[in-house]
Amino acid sequence: MEKVSENVTKTLIPGIGNVYFNLQKYSTTISEEHQFIYYFDAEGKFMGGFFNGISYRRGLDNRMMKKFFDEDKFKVKIFVDENEKRKIINDVIERVERIKRYVSENDEVVKRLEDILRWDYDALQKDAIKFLSIYKPISILPPDQYLSLVLQPAEGCSWNKCTFCSFYQDRRFRVKSPDEFKEHIKKVKEFFGRAIGLRKSIFLGDANALIIPQKRLIELLKIIHDEFPISKNISNLEFSFDGIYSFLDIFGAERKNLQEYIELKNFHVKRIYIGLETGDSELFKYLNKPGSPDECVDVVETIKKAGINVGIIVLAGAGGDKFYEAHIKNTIETILKMPFSNGDIIYLSPLVLDEADEYVKLMNELGARTLNKFEIAEQINRIKEGLKNLTQQGVKVTIYDIQEFLY
Ligand SMILES: C[S@@+](CC[C@H](N)C(=O)[O-])C[C@H]1O[C@@H](n2cnc3c(N)ncnc32)[C@H](O)[C@@H]1O
Ligand code: SF4
C-alpha cells in the first residue's frame, strides 16, 4: 500500500484499478479510481456515495436520496424505492468484500473494512427501527445543521398552523421532563456510538424548542452540558460540539427578554433560526405565521444584542404571481432593518407545495398563480441582489432546500 497523504493510502487492485482509502477519525471514504466513491461513519454504517454521476445519501432512518441534474441544470432530489436502495447497499457491501481480499497488510484499513461489512442491508434496516424508537421523525434542519447531533427536548410545533407547513402535523407539541430527557440522551449516545464524533453541534428539536419556559429550558441545557463537551478545547478530549442551535418562531422569540437570551448565550446557544418567510405583511397573514414582519425585526434585535447569531428563513415563491414584486421588495426592506453581523445566515427556501394544502386553497381563492422553477429562481436572485451588501459584512445569503434534507 502506498501513502498518498497523511490520512490517504492507495493500492492497485486487479480488475478495479487504484483504490484510495481516506481514514478520518470519524469517517472512512473509499474511492475506486475516483469513479465509485462511498463513505461510512465511525461505526462502519454506509452514509452515502457517488456512482456514475449520481450522488446517494442514506439517512439514519435508512431512507435513501439520490441527486442529479435535470436537462435545465436544476438539481433533482428523490427518495429511491426499496429495490434501488437494497441494490445500492448490496453493491457497496460486495465492493468492500472484494477489496478486502487484497488489503491484508494494512491493519487499520482491514479493521475499518470489517466494521463496514457488519452493516449489511438487514443490519441497517434494524438500526433504522432503533433510530425511530429514539426519535420522533426529524422533519427538517437548517442546511448548516445537517451534521448536528439532534436532541429532542421538545416534540412538534407549539403553533403548527402555518398554511404552507406540514412538518410536524403528525405529533402534538410537548416538552420532555428532565428525567425523560436524560433517558433520551442515554439512548441517543448508545445509538450513535463512536459515530457521535462526526457530529459538529447540538440541534434542539423540534420546531421551536427554545419556546420551552426559561426555567425548564435551563434545566434541560444543564443536562446537555453535563452529558456532552460543548465549546471545549479539544486538545485533551475525543471531540467537542461547537455550540447549541435551535429553531424558534416569532411568538416564541417574543416571549423571552434580553436577560434570558444572555443566559442562553452563556449556555453556548450559538444561532437561532426564525422563519420570517416574507416581509410583506399582507402575504404574511395568508401564511398564518404567528407574529408579523415588524415583530420579527424586534426579536432579531434582542437576540443579536445578547450576542447570539440568527438564521432568517424566507419562503421564495410565496404568494405566487400576485405577490411577486411585493414579496421581493418588502422582504429585502424588512431584512435590511435587522442588525446583522458575521455568523448570521439568511436562507431562501423555495416553496414546495406537495403538502401545503391550506396555502394552495387560499392562493386559488385569491387567483394567485404558482410560480414555476424559473420564476422562483429569478425571485431568489432578485432578493439576493437586494441583500448583496450584507454578504460583504460576513452574512451568508444562501438556499435552504427542504427537499434536500435527510438526517
Ligand atoms: C421548522 S420551520 C421554521 C422555524 C420556526 N418554526 C418558525 O416558524 O419560525 C422551518 C422552515 O421551513 C420552511 N418551510 C416550511 N414549509 C415549507 C414549504 N412547504 N416549502 C418550502 N419551505 C417550507 C419555512 O421557511 C420554515 O421557516
Ligand atoms: S413554519 Fe414553524 S411555526 Fe409554522 S407550522 Fe411550521 S414549524 Fe410551526
Side-chain angles (χ1 to χ4, degrees), residues 382-400:
R382 296 260 311 270
I383 296 175
K384 276 187 171 169
E385 179 63 24
L387 300 177
K388 70 169 187 270
N389 286 346
L390 291 180
T391 52
Q392 284 150 17
Q393 297 165 30
V395 180
K396 254 206 205 147
V397 182
T398 186
I399 298 291
Y400 179 116

Side-chain angles (χ1 to χ4, degrees), residues 143-390:
D144 62 293
Q145 294 297 310
Y146 284 9
L147 259 187
S148 64
L149 179 76
V150 174
L151 299 175
Q152 289 174 319
E155 292 173 356
C157 171
S158 54
W159 175 251
N160 229 359
K161 289 195 275 263
C162 298
T163 51
F164 59 90
C165 174
S166 56
F167 283 137
Y168 306 102
Q169 309 235 311
D170 59 342
R171 67 201 88 163
R172 295 225 341 243
F173 179 74
R174 74 179 192 99
V175 177
K176 290 192 173 127
S177 71
D179 282 346
E180 196 186 355
F181 189 49
K182 277 187 205 157
E183 190 55 30
H184 172 66
I185 289 179
K186 189 168 152 240
K187 289 182 185 158
V188 168
K189 282 184 171 176
E190 277 167 18
F191 175 79
F192 278 90
R194 282 171 292 164
I196 209 163
L198 196 62
R199 304 282 149 179
K200 306 286 179 236
S201 55
I202 296 219
F203 193 89
L204 304 182
D206 280 328
N208 27 27
L210 295 181
I211 205 170
I212 299 172
Q214 189 80 354
K215 191 160 163 277
R216 168 64 64 86
L217 182 59
I218 297 300
E219 268 180 283
L220 300 176
L221 288 173
K222 278 187 182 149
I223 293 172
I224 295 176
H225 280 270
D226 287 346
E227 296 289 339
F228 299 105
I230 297 169
S231 292
K232 296 264 174 13
N233 183 339
I234 57 162
S235 53
N236 55 355
L237 284 173
E238 267 291 296
F239 66 93
S240 172
F241 296 113
D242 83 349
I244 300 175
Y245 298 76
S246 177
F247 285 125
L248 187 59
D249 64 81
I250 300 171
F251 261 4
E254 284 178 310
R255 288 197 204 165
K256 292 204 192 294
N257 60 36
L258 177 61
Q259 243 3 77
E260 290 173 324
Y261 282 116
I262 291 172
E263 202 176 6
L264 297 185
K265 152 99 181 157
N266 293 337
F267 274 95
H268 297 287
V269 172
K270 287 270 166 72
R271 191 181 299 114
I272 299 178
Y273 302 83
I274 303 177
L276 163 69
E277 320 305 352
T278 181
D280 186 84
S281 42
E282 194 190 340
L283 173 57
F284 195 93
K285 289 197 187 111
Y286 288 108
L287 302 180
N288 199 28
K289 293 282 302 184
S292 69
D294 284 345
E295 284 166 70
C296 191
V297 175
D298 291 346
V299 295
V300 168
E301 271 172 12
T302 312
I303 292 169
K304 292 291 300 171
K305 231 183 244 163
I308 299 177
N309 277 120
V310 290
I312 300 298
I313 312 159
V314 171
L315 198 57
D321 64 340
K322 201 166 171 75
F323 287 91
Y324 189 84
E325 291 298 334
H327 182 36
I328 295 173
K329 178 176 170 287
N330 294 323
T331 299
I332 293 170
E333 271 177 28
T334 303
I335 288 180
L336 290 179
K337 285 184 204 154
M338 296 175 180
F340 292 113
S341 64
N342 200 14
D344 294 323
I345 307 178
I346 293 159
Y347 278 122
L348 304 169
S349 178
L351 177 63
V352 175
L353 293 179
D354 288 357
E355 290 177 58
D357 300 349
E358 183 66 23
Y359 166 87
V360 172
K361 200 170 135 242
L362 280 171
M363 288 298 132
N364 283 341
E365 281 166 17
L366 267 182
R369 179 182 59 78
T370 302
L371 303 184
N372 63 37
K373 64 183 179 184
F374 302 102
E375 290 167 319
I376 293 188
E378 170 64 23
Q379 192 174 58
I380 286 175
N381 284 338
R382 296 260 311 270
I383 296 175
K384 276 187 171 169
E385 179 63 24
L387 300 177
K388 70 169 187 270
N389 286 346
L390 291 180

Side-chain angles (χ1 to χ4, degrees), residues 2-13:
E2 189 187 325
K3 205 168 165 70
V4 178
S5 63
E6 195 184 337
N7 298 308
V8 182
T9 47
K10 77 168 179 181
T11 189
L12 191 63
I13 295 186

